[in-house]
Amino acid sequence: MSKIIYHQIIIVGGGTAGITVAAQLTRGWFRRRDVAVIEPSDTHYYQPLWTMVGAGLAKKTVTERRERSVIPRGVTWLRDAVAEFFPDQNMLRTRDGKTITYDWLVVGAGIQINWDKIPGLKESVGQGGVCSNYSYATVDSTWEAIRSFRGGNAVFTNPSGAVKCGGAPQKIMYLADDRFREAGVRDKTKITFASALPHIFAVEPYRATLEEVAARKEIDCRFRHELVEVRPDSKEAVFKNIDTQEQLTLPYDLLHVTPPMGPLKFIASSPLIHGEPAHLCGPRPILSPLI
């Protein structure tokens, strides 16, 4: 039987969310707390900056750090991954077979990118005008597609379900619009925002403002349209109208894809998702929302 390790506060995930929480919990009156971060990767990426990288306003190398360098002072880094949660027992087990107990649990592991859920996307992203800011490996292709664009159809997508940074699919579109104007090709360009959502943004005050922005920039917004296929040979993007199930095929010269995303497997299959509410809010186990 493996030795049981105890930490007062366990943070699952050493990305921006997990590191930010760890930093807050080791400052001020929190500073005497015993905090540990479970993160398997040796590399930390500051993903919020990838939109600027895709727009040519930053280099992707500045978003990359050694994980050890961003762990706050006084925080224990457990270079491992969670395999199972046992919230009723204030316990988890790791990929390497460790048993860890805690008083408080913060889950900030983020969500995963599901490139293969759209036929044609995984093999075409990063080339032929198909690009995405949602990967360190592909973000440079966004700037290359925008920089070399000479007019035509520029299509930007937004899937149903949660995504990392709900405004990012639009931000790169507005930045691309500015670049097209600077390059003198905007009058030869049609920009389409095809979103599976019913509105341009879920929060009402921002929705009204962003609708005005899209109108001012002459962006064609197609709501309730979900990207279902990429055809790189013919440079076509196929969308399904969620309400009518009808398909719409749009030709593209530039296609920025915000891919479908979902929970990591070790979270999706855990009692944190499938357990009874009492599992998450009893007198001893205390769980933060996903950050």
Side-chain angles (χ1 to χ4, degrees), residues 109-157:
I111 53 180
Q112 70 179 12
I113 307 296
N114 296 318
W115 299 104
D116 54 358
K117 285 199 170 183
I118 298 176
L121 175 59
K122 188 175 182 179
E123 56 269 36
S124 61
V125 66
Q127 56 190 331
V130 182
C131 55
S132 179
N133 287 342
Y134 279 90
S135 162
Y136 188 82
T138 64
V139 65
D140 280 339
S141 70
T142 302
W143 173 234
E144 177 58 29
I146 292 173
R147 184 188 65 80
S148 60
F149 189 76
R150 295 294 179 265
N153 294 317
V155 181
F156 297 80
T157 76

Side-chain angles (χ1 to χ4, degrees), residues 170 174 181 200-201 204-219 221 223:
Q170 290 179 62
Y174 301 138
R181 294 177 192 276
I200 198 166
F201 206 70
E204 188 60 35
Y206 301 113
R207 169 189 167 186
T209 299
L210 289 170
E211 285 175 348
E212 293 176 2
V213 171
R216 185 177 73 245
K217 291 180 175 291
E218 299 182 299
I219 294 170
C221 294
F223 299 116

Side-chain angles (χ1 to χ4, degrees), residues 80-126:
D80 202 343
V82 174
E84 295 180 276
F85 289 101
F86 301 92
D88 282 340
Q89 302 172 56
N90 282 36
M91 185 178 77
L92 58 83
R93 288 203 181 99
T94 72
R95 178 188 60 193
D96 293 345
K98 297 183 181 72
T99 298
I100 302 175
T101 62
Y102 55 82
D103 295 324
W104 299 76
L105 175 66
V106 178
V107 180
I111 53 180
Q112 70 179 12
I113 307 296
N114 296 318
W115 299 104
D116 54 358
K117 285 199 170 183
I118 298 176
L121 175 59
K122 188 175 182 179
E123 56 269 36
S124 61
V125 66

Side-chain angles (χ1 to χ4, degrees), residues 64 120 209 218 249 263 267:
E64 183 180 7
T209 299
E218 299 182 299
T249 300
I267 294 175

Side-chain angles (χ1 to χ4, degrees), residues 168-207:
Q170 290 179 62
K171 285 192 290 183
I172 188 59
M173 177 174 64
Y174 301 138
L175 289 164
D177 173 83
D178 284 347
R179 169 64 184 180
F180 297 158
R181 294 177 192 276
E182 290 175 2
V185 299
R186 184 62 180 90
D187 59 345
K188 298 186 291 184
T189 300
K190 179 178 181 179
I191 297 179
T192 301
F193 181 54
S195 173
L197 304 180
H199 307 293
I200 198 166
F201 206 70
V203 182
E204 188 60 35
Y206 301 113
R207 169 189 167 186

